[in-house]
Amino acid sequence: MKTQGEIEAAVCDAMRRFEQEYIGRGPKDVHSYLAGDLLMVRLRGVLTAAEQHLVKTLPSDKGRQLLKQVRYQLIETARPVMEAMIYEVTGVEVLSLHHDISTNTGEEVVIFALTKSPLFRETKKR
């Protein structure tokens, strides 16, 4: 049985691979946080050069809206893959998935609501 830290690290590795394979570019930084039946993943530096250019060159909100729509579709299309990936790491089914991306900071947040809290072994206190 894994510790909570080992689960969080495995989720980070899996999300990094997912971004690389499905988006074509891995994030600069990934952190995950397990809080009961919620698994939160924060990815920094996820925008590709083309996405950054798109946001800067299109008028006002058009670039931002277009990028958010494209990312939403990518996540929804790959949702079964992401859910299977989380199940493999945690041993728990995903109940729902929530996602958003900031075109200003290049930060992406993915929250997985799980059907129950994953089991993990406690770490020894020194």
Side-chain angles (χ1 to χ4, degrees):
M1 186 181 298
K2 299 175 190 170
T3 65
Q4 180 175 348
E6 289 170 337
I7 290 172
E8 291 170 344
V11 167
C12 289
D13 291 342
M15 288 297 291
R16 187 179 307 278
R17 280 191 315 275
F18 172 82
E19 288 279 324
Q20 182 67 46
E21 292 171 13
Y22 282 84
I23 306 300
R25 179 179 189 276
K28 290 182 180 171
D29 189 39
V30 184
H31 289 281
S32 68
Y33 309 91
L34 180 60
D37 64 350
L38 285 180
L39 178 60
M40 297 155 279
V41 183
R42 183 179 186 186
L43 304 104
R44 294 183 179 152
V46 297
L47 296 180
T48 65
E51 289 171 331
Q52 291 172 4
H53 183 71
L54 180 74
V55 170
K56 289 177 186 172
T57 56
L58 286 178
S60 62
D61 265 0
K62 285 195 187 258
R64 183 179 79 75
Q65 290 172 355
L66 184 59
L67 176 60
K68 284 184 176 260
Q69 286 174 349
V70 168
R71 284 290 182 127
Y72 172 80
Q73 288 301 318
L74 285 170
I75 294 296
E76 284 302 310
T77 300
R79 186 183 198 119
V81 173
M82 292 178 77
E83 290 177 352
M85 177 182 73
I86 296 303
Y87 178 79
E88 184 178 318
V89 171
T90 65
V92 178
E93 296 282 334
V94 173
L95 182 63
S96 61
L97 182 153
H98 310 276
H99 169 266
D100 198 13
I101 188 166
S102 169
T103 56
N104 292 329
T105 63
E107 183 174 77
E108 184 175 21
V109 177
V110 183
I111 300 173
F112 299 93
L114 306 174
T115 56
K116 63 181 181 179
S117 299
L119 295 176
F120 54 86
R121 69 180 162 83
E122 296 294 323
T123 54
K124 295 179 182 176
K125 307 262 186 204
R126 291 184 187 212

